[in-house]
Amino acid sequence: MICWNGMSSSKDSVLLRIEDVEFSRTASGAEKPTSSEVRPTADDSVHPLRGSFLRLYGCLFVAYLCSATNGFDANTFGGLSAIDTFISYFGITPDNQGLVAALYVVGNVAGCFFAGPCADRYGRRFGMAVGSVICIVGAIMQTAARNLGTLMGGRFILGLGAVVVQTAGPAYVVEMAYPKYRGVLTGAYQACFFLGTIVSTWLEYGLNFVAGTPQWTWRLPLAVQALPSVLVLIFVWFIPETPRWYIGQGRADEAKAILTKYHGDGDPNSPVVALELEEVQEVISADASDKRWWDFRELFNSRSARYRTYLITCIAFFGQWDLPPTSYYFPLMAKTAGITSERTQLLLNALQTPIMMAAALSGLRWQDRLGRRKLLITSSIGMSICVAVITACTAQQAGRPVVGGVGIAFVYVFLVVFAFAWTPAQSLYPTEVLAYNTRAKGLASMNLLVNVASVFNTYVPPVAITRASWRFYIFYILWDALGALVIYLTFVETKGRDLEDRSHIRGRQSEEDQSAAAH
């Protein structure tokens, strides 16, 4: 386990502490076979396109739309910030642009406090539905806004709903996914963020060709932000609740029925279903802290719990402070690099989304082949190198359009490197390391941390880039390099572990202490 009382004097001693993290044994001390060890024989004949899996993918896609909800906002506002009529109508300036953008994040922070309890108490489906209703209200306010105050209020409410769906959505996916394909299916959740960004950025680019840029050309993108929420609200009632939530409510028969239908291909005697059900029942308690909306102690009340919280904290901050959010500020970054055409800025902003989605989808299979930890380390190193090139080019681009173009090109290289590893891992790794009884609250807490980081990364860049230009990027060079080091020294690999198996991460020293106490 990680030593919190001081820094280790050498890499070896740090690694020794990380190796102390292990997955627990049975009370007798013997290793209990997990489904990751027993299931391979059964999995050999499982085809990913069989009928029950196709129905499962349909259920998961409803949850994926929760990720698209966040994607719609991210690039919608970034594109609109390059449209002069939008900026002038609401009186947006470099001094208040960061605040307007950050209000979505502030809404996220406010919603974090009830997002987890909502998904725990009433179910993952309910959390997705409630969050979608709130998002629709926020989108309507933004679309109908006649002044800056209403626009800002709509952004706050939209952020409030987004964090609710962003908590319930990934929890639903990881708990419903078939174990053999959990890495790919859960990683695809974050990749679907780009469904929203692709639609919003290309819509804005296309509307830019309308002569005179009338109001409807920027009100329409604001309205379209409600699209994924409307779809979730329609279809969420046709998908099942997760079997793990049913077990947590003491409804084992319903849990078995869901596992049989979607994992056992309709066979109630399926060995995979029997094994999954047994593991889930052993781990999930019907009277645990997830039933107490106010109880967040299990995120901190043991060494293993603190370690998990530490891991999701790292994912939150290193995943956010990698570069100024290009979805919001790509046009501004392009302008800094010497590209002043509004249409070109919108085109560059639109191009980043399909490129990132292709990279994220390409990286899904490698999460299981190479492991989460190796990919995150490699990606962070690559990101640091890319930001260094971007910084150098931005510093030297004055009067040299080719140099500025190289800088923008490396923004795209950065986005590919980031999306290949970090995009899938941002939803996959936290859901894997969190135990069921703390998963929704843990994800809500991570969303809180993500948004605390985003407040800085949303509010500061427009002012800092305008005033400090390329010098501001130096922070990100150092931060990305630090991320690679921290992951190398302190992260545990989750590849090949069962979801319930991960629920028992704890230190060997804890077991020794318990053994000594028992004697």
Side-chain angles (χ1 to χ4, degrees), residues 166-450:
Q166 283 287 88
T167 297
Y172 184 90
V173 172
V174 77
E175 292 171 13
M176 278 293 293
Y178 189 78
K180 182 180 180 180
Y181 305 116
R182 182 170 287 124
V184 172
L185 293 174
T186 307
Y189 173 87
Q190 195 68 17
C192 284
F193 171 89
F194 300 112
L195 291 178
T197 61
I198 287 172
V199 173
S200 62
T201 52
W202 286 100
L203 176 63
E204 289 170 345
Y205 178 69
L207 291 174
N208 186 251
F209 286 90
V210 177
T213 319
Q215 284 191 28
W216 68 267
T217 61
W218 48 260
R219 290 194 185 274
L220 180 59
L222 291 172
V224 171
Q225 284 183 273
L227 178 60
S229 298
V230 170
L231 293 176
V232 170
L233 198 58
I234 292 172
F235 291 107
V236 74
W237 312 112
F238 299 98
I239 64 176
E241 187 52 80
T242 73
R244 286 166 176 81
W245 187 80
Y246 278 133
I247 291 291
Q249 307 302 309
R251 297 156 67 178
D253 289 342
E254 291 167 275
K256 183 178 180 180
I258 298 301
L259 289 172
T260 299
K261 181 176 180 179
Y262 293 98
H263 289 190
D265 205 24
D267 179 9
N269 299 314
S270 166
V272 172
V273 170
L275 189 57
E276 279 193 272
L277 193 62
E278 180 186 355
E279 290 182 341
V280 172
Q281 287 176 316
E282 285 182 357
V283 170
I284 297 176
S285 170
D287 59 355
S289 65
D290 58 305
K291 313 303 180 301
R292 301 185 293 275
W293 64 268
W294 46 267
D295 192 354
F296 282 75
R297 289 175 299 176
E298 286 197 24
L299 292 173
F300 307 99
N301 64 0
S302 68
R303 295 179 67 196
S304 61
R306 290 189 293 272
Y307 180 62
R308 294 189 192 99
T309 302
Y310 161 80
L311 291 175
I312 64 174
T313 301
C314 289
I315 290 291
F317 280 92
F318 288 119
Q320 290 300 307
W321 288 355
D322 45 21
L323 192 70
T326 57
S327 54
Y328 283 134
Y329 299 125
F330 202 106
L332 179 59
M333 295 170 71
K335 186 176 181 179
T336 303
I339 299 172
T340 57
S341 167
E342 177 182 306
R343 185 164 295 168
T344 302
Q345 291 174 13
L346 285 172
L347 176 60
L348 292 173
N349 189 51
L351 284 173
Q352 65 171 312
T353 54
I355 290 173
M356 289 186 74
M357 185 170 189
L361 293 174
S362 299
L364 289 179
R365 292 299 296 174
W366 293 98
Q367 294 286 335
D368 283 332
R369 292 181 182 179
L370 295 181
R372 293 56 157 147
R373 184 171 168 271
K374 288 181 181 178
L375 279 178
L376 288 174
I377 293 170
T378 305
S379 177
S380 296
I381 293 172
M383 286 153 51
S384 183
I385 294 171
C386 288
V387 179
V389 175
I390 294 168
T391 304
C393 289
T394 305
Q396 301 296 322
Q397 61 86 28
R400 302 172 180 171
V402 173
V403 175
V406 172
I408 291 298
F410 264 87
V411 172
Y412 287 109
V413 175
F414 171 92
L415 295 175
V416 169
V417 173
F418 172 84
F420 189 85
W422 274 92
T423 294
Q426 281 178 307
S427 60
L428 175 60
Y429 196 79
T431 52
E432 288 184 323
V433 299
L434 288 167
Y436 169 81
N437 290 334
T438 58
R439 185 167 295 134
K441 289 175 183 174
L443 290 175
S445 298
M446 192 189 82
N447 281 324
L448 173 62
L449 295 170
V450 163

Side-chain angles (χ1 to χ4, degrees), residues 323-325 329 332 454-467 472 476:
L323 192 70
Y329 299 125
L332 179 59
S454 294
V455 167
F456 168 87
N457 218 31
T458 303
Y459 186 77
V460 174
V463 177
I465 292 174
T466 301
R467 296 180 180 177
F472 179 60
Y476 297 101

Side-chain angles (χ1 to χ4, degrees), residues 64-195:
Y64 289 164
L65 290 173
C66 295
S67 185
T69 297
N70 203 33
F72 264 92
D73 172 78
N75 279 73
T76 296
F77 189 79
L80 293 179
S81 66
I83 299 176
D84 290 337
T85 54
F86 173 80
I87 295 297
S88 60
Y89 183 91
F90 288 108
I92 297 174
T93 67
D95 291 330
N96 64 19
Q97 181 180 4
L99 176 60
V100 176
L103 273 171
Y104 178 84
V105 178
V106 175
N108 280 178
V109 172
C112 287
F113 296 102
F114 64 85
C118 178
D120 275 338
R121 184 176 180 86
Y122 301 107
R124 311 327 191 192
R125 291 193 312 162
F126 183 83
M128 289 189 281
V130 169
S132 295
V133 170
I134 298 173
C135 285
I136 292 170
V137 172
I140 291 173
M141 283 185 64
Q142 284 191 129
T143 305
R146 298 292 178 182
N147 54 62
L148 184 59
T150 306
L151 177 71
M152 294 169 71
R155 288 191 57 73
F156 174 83
I157 293 175
L158 190 64
L160 197 70
V163 75
V164 179
V165 298
Q166 283 287 88
T167 297
Y172 184 90
V173 172
V174 77
E175 292 171 13
M176 278 293 293
Y178 189 78
K180 182 180 180 180
Y181 305 116
R182 182 170 287 124
V184 172
L185 293 174
T186 307
Y189 173 87
Q190 195 68 17
C192 284
F193 171 89
F194 300 112
L195 291 178

Side-chain angles (χ1 to χ4, degrees), residues 506 508-519:
R506 63 183 183 181
R508 286 184 185 136
Q509 185 61 44
S510 296
E511 291 183 356
E512 293 169 2
D513 291 345
Q514 292 170 2
S515 177
H519 288 83

